[in-house]
Amino acid sequence: MAEAAGNGRAGTKGAQLRSYLLGLIEGELKPHEKLPTERDLAETFGVTRLTVRRALDQLGYEGRVYRTQGAGTFVSEPRIAKSVELTSFTQDMRARGLVPGSLDTVVEEIPAGAEIGARLALSPRDLVAHISRVRTADGEPMCIENTYVPSKLAPGLAARGITGSLYQMLTETYHLKIEKAEQSIHATVLDPPLAKLLGVPEFSPAFKVLRVAYDARNQRIEYAESVYRADRYSYDFVIFRTSRDNTN
Amino acid sequence: MAEAAGNGRAGTKGAQLRSYLLGLIEGELKPHEKLPTERDLAETFGVTRLTVRRALDQLGYEGRVYRTQGAGTFVSEPRIAKSVELTSFTQDMRARGLVPGSLDTVVEEIPAGAEIGARLALSPRDLVAHISRVRTADGEPMCIENTYVPSKLAPGLAARGITGSLYQMLTETYHLKIEKAEQSIHATVLDPPLAKLLGVPEFSPAFKVLRVAYDARNQRIEYAESVYRADRYSYDFVIFRTSRDNTN
DNA sequence: TCGAAAAATTGGGCTACACCATTTGACGGC
DNA sequence: GCCGTCAAATGGTGTAGCCCAATTTTTCGA
């Protein structure tokens, strides 16, 4: 592995450290084995403890390690899945070792209308690119996706069409980097037409996911409504008790 | 100890700062208004910028503020719900201004068996307290909850019975503080008996949530299987792009 | 007058150090 | 041999200050 992401040295020291630690976690160490101490890591990498802590804290938040005061930092048991990270369908499938694809892709430019406009903080008259497609993994339908992107942020997107990853195109062509998203997950059942599209029995359970994605400047880039087959999907994540409120 | 018990001042400086900032966010400031700068906060509170940053970063992670380099830190639009935080049903309902309750509570002590044992990392023969109840909000059924706690961690729990919040009892009686949980959310439909318990039509959509909860020492405290009415529940959260991988 | 360049502001990352809180393990008394 | 005590190890919180990167504001010239 050692993805290293192009760029020889990888960005910050914290990021380098993170890569190294991920290597340890996925390579040498087994679950519940102890990582080097913060002070050791700081010394061997020539950075401060604070920098080490930031990297370890992040991994802790992602559920890859757990930390106990006085004892040490330990590798977590392997995660089943990970929905805490922001990924596109394409990334998600590739991470699972599946080949992502699309069926019935339709791209059009339409006025946002009331609902989509509200989601993207646009006037109902503003134009958006609407991408509708059935997403597949290894050729099998997995979800139905309707994505909306403000035309003024990505002019000509509708004309250009979508080949693979929308996120990739947004990044490379329009320099729009999505950094954050608000997601709302609902449970539903598939009505006959949707069930047929996904190739499952009518009234099968499904997830309906609404997502508003933002860039670093809190600008709304994308609104997406997706319907996922529940037999192939689950959401798995780690949550923490945040503050020290005694309000039980 | 003793120090922060009554907590007139709340424990750490970071926590005090957090409280103050939450006050600002929920009180004086409106969405998209600018918070004081890190340097200002540091000075007025007599703490370092690092301490301020930690508090602000945490709020950012929780989606209550957003930060833009060079510009400032701003209040986010109000959250619809929050599932990023670890709460008990009781806490969750109270936070929404509803009165939590229980129906048909059954508490028994049984051997863990294969599945529950695996979830709690116990031998199938080890005893667990099994609590089964229909949770209500303002008297209306909201979810069906089956909770399992290792008997050796909470001896006598089955005999003692449950009155209100299990989490509260675990904390106060057994000094078991849950700090982290792994949650897995599935979509399903309600079979007739469950539908009847929840007072909704048969085959209504629902969430099935599996949760393993840990304390600070990564000890498994609780395993819970819950079924929530989908018409009353959704999961809403904020996700971030974690690292700087260009692997689109 | 307006736009581009320069300066100030503000968050992001890091160094170096200090002390506290909890856990672990070794030592020693019984 | 067992168990309590105490010191060492380890993560948690905090101070003080530095430079960098992105954004916003100001300045100044065409």
Side-chain angles (χ1 to χ4, degrees):
Chain A
M1 51 208 67
E3 86 277 72
N7 70 16
R9 263 304 70 64
T12 64
K13 295 189 180 179
Q16 294 175 36
L17 201 45
R18 176 190 166 83
S19 297
Y20 170 75
L21 293 169
L22 277 174
L24 275 189
I25 292 167
E26 289 164 0
E28 285 109 280
L29 298 179
K30 282 180 287 190
H32 301 292
E33 284 192 346
K34 192 160 167 290
L35 291 161
T37 69
E38 296 181 353
R39 288 171 176 84
D40 281 353
L41 286 168
E43 193 177 355
T44 58
F45 276 82
V47 298
T48 359
R49 241 187 92 199
L50 176 62
T51 305
V52 174
R53 295 199 97 250
R54 273 217 300 263
L56 287 172
D57 281 342
Q58 177 66 23
L59 291 171
Y61 209 98
E62 292 169 24
R64 320 210 44 154
V65 302
Y66 60 94
R67 326 190 67 202
T68 308
Q69 183 174 154
T73 302
F74 307 87
V75 177
S76 297
E77 287 180 33
R79 300 262 301 286
I80 337 90
K82 49 186 164 117
S83 84
V84 173
E85 291 172 29
L86 173 52
T87 58
S88 65
F89 182 86
T90 304
Q91 289 172 279
D92 196 14
M93 289 304 106
R94 285 188 184 146
R96 298 175 193 222
L98 304 173
V99 178
S102 297
L103 296 175
D104 306 334
T105 303
V106 177
V107 188
E108 55 178 353
E109 192 165 45
I110 57 171
E115 193 206 332
I116 310 300
R119 301 283 189 180
L120 286 170
L122 299 173
S123 149
R125 273 192 246 289
D126 287 334
L127 293 178
V128 296
H130 171 208
I131 301 126
S132 169
R133 40 188 183 170
V134 177
R135 307 309 305 262
T136 60
D138 285 353
E140 187 173 359
M142 297 293 278
C143 91
I144 297 164
E145 208 179 65
N146 281 280
T147 308
Y148 305 85
V149 179
S151 293
K152 58 184 163 190
L153 292 180
L157 193 153
R160 188 168 288 133
I162 302 285
T163 57
S165 169
L166 170 64
Y167 277 28
Q168 193 169 14
M169 173 175 289
L170 288 176
T171 305
E172 294 173 0
T173 307
Y174 298 103
H175 304 292
L176 296 170
K177 289 209 316 185
I178 288 174
E179 290 291 337
K180 189 182 93 169
E182 295 170 358
Q183 226 167 247
S184 178
I185 300 179
H186 303 257
T188 182
V189 294
L190 294 170
D191 58 39
L194 289 183
K196 191 168 185 186
L197 277 176
L198 287 175
V200 295
E202 296 179 1
F203 306 113
S204 295
F207 285 110
K208 181 164 193 177
V209 180
L210 314 181
R211 172 162 77 184
V212 181
Y214 301 79
D215 67 4
R217 297 210 305 289
N218 225 44
Q219 191 174 219
R220 301 183 194 210
I221 304 296
E222 174 210 49
Y223 172 63
E225 287 187 10
S226 308
V227 177
Y228 288 84
R229 294 170 53 169
D231 59 336
R232 304 295 296 273
Y233 265 91
S234 68
Y235 283 85
D236 303 87
F237 51 87
V238 179
I239 50 182
F240 293 86
R241 166 150 291 180
T242 32
S243 64
R244 45 225 98 266
D245 55 348
N246 314 327
T247 71
N248 226 338
Chain B
M1 60 195 65
E3 42 143 351
N7 76 15
R9 266 299 74 66
T12 65
K13 296 188 179 180
Q16 293 175 37
L17 201 44
R18 176 191 167 83
S19 297
Y20 171 75
L21 292 168
L22 277 175
L24 276 188
I25 293 167
E26 290 165 358
E28 284 109 282
L29 298 179
K30 281 180 286 193
H32 303 292
E33 283 191 348
K34 192 159 167 289
L35 291 162
T37 70
E38 297 181 353
R39 288 172 175 83
D40 281 353
L41 285 168
E43 192 177 355
T44 58
F45 275 82
V47 298
T48 343
R49 236 187 96 200
L50 177 62
T51 305
V52 175
R53 295 198 97 252
R54 273 217 298 263
L56 288 172
D57 281 342
Q58 176 66 25
L59 291 170
Y61 207 98
E62 292 168 24
R64 321 211 44 157
V65 302
Y66 60 94
R67 328 189 65 200
T68 307
Q69 184 174 154
T73 302
F74 307 87
V75 177
S76 297
E77 287 182 30
R79 301 259 300 288
I80 336 90
K82 53 196 159 109
S83 84
V84 173
E85 291 173 29
L86 171 51
T87 58
S88 65
F89 182 86
T90 303
Q91 289 172 279
D92 195 13
M93 289 305 105
R94 285 191 184 146
R96 298 175 192 222
L98 304 174
V99 178
S102 297
L103 297 176
D104 306 335
T105 303
V106 177
V107 188
E108 54 178 354
E109 191 165 44
I110 57 172
E115 193 206 331
I116 311 298
R119 300 284 190 181
L120 287 170
L122 297 173
S123 150
R125 272 192 247 290
D126 286 334
L127 293 178
V128 296
H130 171 210
I131 300 127
S132 169
R133 39 187 183 171
V134 176
R135 307 308 306 262
T136 61
D138 284 352
E140 189 174 358
M142 295 295 277
C143 91
I144 296 165
E145 207 178 64
N146 281 279
T147 308
Y148 305 85
V149 179
S151 292
K152 58 184 163 191
L153 291 180
L157 192 153
R160 187 168 289 131
I162 302 286
T163 57
S165 169
L166 170 63
Y167 277 29
Q168 193 170 12
M169 175 176 289
L170 287 176
T171 304
E172 293 174 0
T173 307
Y174 299 102
H175 304 292
L176 296 170
K177 288 209 318 187
I178 288 174
E179 289 291 338
K180 190 183 93 171
E182 294 170 0
Q183 224 167 249
S184 178
I185 300 178
H186 303 257
T188 183
V189 295
L190 293 169
D191 57 37
L194 288 183
K196 191 169 183 189
L197 276 175
L198 287 175
V200 296
E202 299 179 1
F203 306 112
S204 295
F207 286 111
K208 181 165 191 176
V209 179
L210 313 182
R211 172 161 77 183
V212 181
Y214 300 79
D215 67 3
R217 297 211 304 289
N218 225 44
Q219 192 175 217
R220 300 182 194 210
I221 304 296
E222 175 211 47
Y223 172 64
E225 286 187 11
S226 308
V227 177
Y228 288 84
R229 294 170 54 170
D231 60 337
R232 303 297 294 274
Y233 266 91
S234 67
Y235 282 85
D236 304 270
F237 50 90
V238 179
I239 51 182
F240 293 88
R241 165 149 292 179
T242 31
S243 62
R244 45 225 92 266
D245 57 347
N246 313 328
T247 71
N248 229 340

